[in-house]
């Protein structure tokens, strides 16, 4: 909510951000959220006077990039009216766990999220504020590592700068905890895309395969086992790499018995990735991970604030699979989580 003395353009911007948030959490087509995000840029360029006169004349839609929905949200915000459009979006996009509601209530944070430091659409601050609003106690920030150049991944130098920003924000937002982390690429030979020295400095590390997803099954098994055996790796991210939306992408092939045995041995959690296009791992693999005694982490892999609300899907799945809360690492408090992440066996 904008402060009571906010200017008309500040009120319009806040309302448009709300719309983007609801559209993101509600799995609405990305184009819709983009239209509202673009409208924020259009409004930013207008002064308050011009904005108010366009609203008064009913001529907002004359502007490039402003359509009927965006203009109604902007007009209501400028005039101080309740927006029917926003109210309806709020109602229809709510994400609530059903059978997993107890697990959702036990969850204290999210271990996988991105910001504008890599390919996320929102700043660190925006992501943190959304996580706080959700009632989390902590948020792990896991931007991509350098090898993922299309995602503007972080090299050591940029990661150091991010850690400095997190330290400052942590003072501002205490007692909420912003935990440091990275979604580090598992390179083709199973090594990690960041030095051990840097990895050791991070609170929580998610390791994921993002390249050569179709490599030979034996090689992929070796690659994944190498990564989860690292004492710095805490979570194995979206293990099959499958995509289940649109044209989709088949899962990578690896010997899941061996990979999950390694996860269990080295106490690396298997991620339940809640992104709607990933929904990874599939249930049969998750079942196998549970049989091996693996812990799990229910993560949103959010690239925008509204996406931080995607955990209920994973909570419902965890409830259906009868996963005890003790095996879900997000139910730990921040200190316990950090202590667990720092204590993997090394052989
Ligand atoms: Zn990833
Ligand atoms: Zn990610």
């Amino acid at each position: 909510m904008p402060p009571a003395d906010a200017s008309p353009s500040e009120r319009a911007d806040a309302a448009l951000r709300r719309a983007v948030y609801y559209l993101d959490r509600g799995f609405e087509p990305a184009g819709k959220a983009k239209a509202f995000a673009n409208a924020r840029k259009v409004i930013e360029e207008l002064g308050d006077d011009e904005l108010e006169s366009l609203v008064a004349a009913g001529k907002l839609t004359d502007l490039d990039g402003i359509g009927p929905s965006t203009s109604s949200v902007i007009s209501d915000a400028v005039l101080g009216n309740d927006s029917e459009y926003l109210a309806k979006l709020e109602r229809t996009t709510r994400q609530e766990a059903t059978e997993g509601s107890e697990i959702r209530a036990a969850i204290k944070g999210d271990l996988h999220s991105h910001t504008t430091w890599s390919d996320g659409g929102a700043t660190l601050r925006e992501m943190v504020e959304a996580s706080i609003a959700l009632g989390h106690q902590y948020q792990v920030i896991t931007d991509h590592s350098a090898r993922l150049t299309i995602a503007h991944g972080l090299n050591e130098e940029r990661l150091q700068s991010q850690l400095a920003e997190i330290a400052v924000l942590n003072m501002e937002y205490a007692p909420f905890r912003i935990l440091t982390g990275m979604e580090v690429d598992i390179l083709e030979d199973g090594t990690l895309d960041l030095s051990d020295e840097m990895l050791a400095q991070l609170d929580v590390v998610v390791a994921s395969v993002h390249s050569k997803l179709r490599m030979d099954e034996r090689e992929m098994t070796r690659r994944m086992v190498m990564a989860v055996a690292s004492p710095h790796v805490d979570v194995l991210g979206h293990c099959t790499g499958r995509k289940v939306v649109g044209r989709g992408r088949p899962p990578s092939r690896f010997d899941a018995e061996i990979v999950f045995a390694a996860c269990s041995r080295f106490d690396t959690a298997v991620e339940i990735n809640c992104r709607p296009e990933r929904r990874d791992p599939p249930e049969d693999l998750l079942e196998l991970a549970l049989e091996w005694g693996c812990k799990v982490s229910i993560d949103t892999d959010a690239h925008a604030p509204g996406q931080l609300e995607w955990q209920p899907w994973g909570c419902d799945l965890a409830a259906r699979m009868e996963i005890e809360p003790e095996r879900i690492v997000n139910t730990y408090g921040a200190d316990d989580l950090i202590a667990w992440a720092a204590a993997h066996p090394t052989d």
Side-chain angles (χ1 to χ4, degrees):
M1 287 289 124
D5 59 350
S7 70
S9 51
E10 284 168 344
R11 292 201 301 273
D13 187 65
L16 292 167
R17 267 173 59 180
R18 267 344 272 166
V20 173
Y21 182 93
Y22 295 143
L23 290 164
D24 279 339
R25 80 173 176 184
F27 315 110
E28 299 285 337
K32 266 192 175 180
K34 211 165 237 163
F36 281 87
N38 283 339
R40 287 182 65 193
K41 287 187 200 139
V42 176
I43 295 306
E44 202 187 321
E45 311 228 317
L46 300 176
D48 277 324
D49 292 346
E50 196 180 349
L51 175 62
E52 285 189 295
S53 63
L54 282 169
V55 168
K59 289 204 177 309
L60 269 178
T61 48
D62 288 359
L63 296 171
D64 245 3
I66 304 289
S69 316
T70 47
S71 114
S72 89
V73 169
I74 296 164
S75 301
D76 285 333
V78 169
L79 298 170
N81 298 332
D82 289 334
S83 163
E84 235 171 83
Y85 185 90
L86 274 186
K88 184 170 174 225
L89 263 192
E90 196 282 324
R91 276 196 313 275
T92 54
T93 61
R94 267 183 217 160
Q95 297 302 313
E96 276 159 9
T98 52
E99 59 263 68
S101 59
E102 272 179 44
I103 291 174
R104 176 61 192 86
I107 276 182
K108 299 189 172 73
D110 189 345
L111 273 56
H112 188 164
S113 61
H114 299 271
T115 73
T116 46
W117 278 95
S118 65
D119 61 348
T123 62
L124 190 41
R125 184 184 287 281
E126 287 174 298
M127 295 300 279
V128 165
E129 291 187 349
S131 180
I132 293 170
L134 273 178
H136 285 329
Q137 297 176 8
Y138 56 84
Q139 182 67 41
V140 186
I141 303 296
T142 54
D143 277 302
H144 288 289
S145 61
R147 184 62 66 96
L148 212 58
T149 46
I150 49 162
H152 198 43
L154 273 64
N155 58 19
E156 291 205 11
E157 200 187 329
R158 291 183 62 231
L159 177 59
Q160 291 283 15
S161 309
Q162 187 191 50
L163 298 185
E165 184 186 345
I166 289 175
V168 172
L169 290 180
N170 260 325
M171 287 192 269
E172 188 178 333
Y173 288 103
F176 183 84
R177 305 267 297 270
I178 309 163
L179 302 187
T180 61
M182 176 162 263
E183 182 180 15
V184 67
D185 255 57
I186 302 174
L187 303 177
E188 281 167 47
D189 62 358
T191 58
L192 301 167
D193 188 23
L194 190 70
S195 69
D196 278 350
E197 197 189 0
M198 281 302 294
L199 288 169
Q201 285 186 42
L202 302 173
D203 293 323
V204 175
V205 173
V206 176
S208 309
V209 169
H210 289 121
S211 59
K212 284 252 180 163
L213 288 138
R214 289 174 191 235
M215 77 196 291
D216 166 76
E217 179 174 340
R218 280 172 62 100
E219 292 297 308
M220 183 61 96
T221 304
R222 186 204 308 265
R223 178 183 182 184
M224 293 171 76
V225 167
M226 281 266 299
V228 303
S230 162
H232 302 301
V233 171
D234 308 306
V235 178
L236 174 62
H238 50 70
C239 65
T240 78
R242 73 171 182 174
K243 292 268 176 83
V244 293
V245 166
R247 277 174 36 216
R249 182 164 67 204
S252 297
R253 292 172 54 232
F254 55 90
D255 188 326
E257 297 271 358
I258 296 177
V259 170
F260 295 144
C263 287
S264 175
R265 176 71 189 83
F266 296 102
D267 202 15
T268 301
V270 174
E271 177 180 73
I272 295 178
N273 188 297
C274 299
R275 291 194 65 78
E277 80 277 19
R278 288 198 182 272
R279 304 226 154 145
D280 202 2
E283 290 193 19
D284 54 337
L285 280 195
L286 182 56
E287 185 89 61
L288 192 61
L290 296 170
E291 279 168 24
W292 274 103
C294 299
K295 294 192 174 82
V296 301
S297 169
I298 301 176
D299 296 334
T300 62
D301 196 355
H303 286 64
Q307 298 178 3
L308 288 166
E309 292 212 31
W310 287 349
Q311 270 172 329
W313 174 82
C315 296
D316 285 344
L317 175 62
R320 284 200 302 280
M321 309 286 282
E322 299 180 351
I323 306 179
E324 311 84 30
E326 307 80 67
R327 286 174 71 176
I328 304 171
V329 295
N330 323 58
T331 63
Y332 302 173
D335 288 329
D336 287 344
L337 181 73
I338 291 170
W340 163 73
H344 298 289
T346 48
D347 55 32

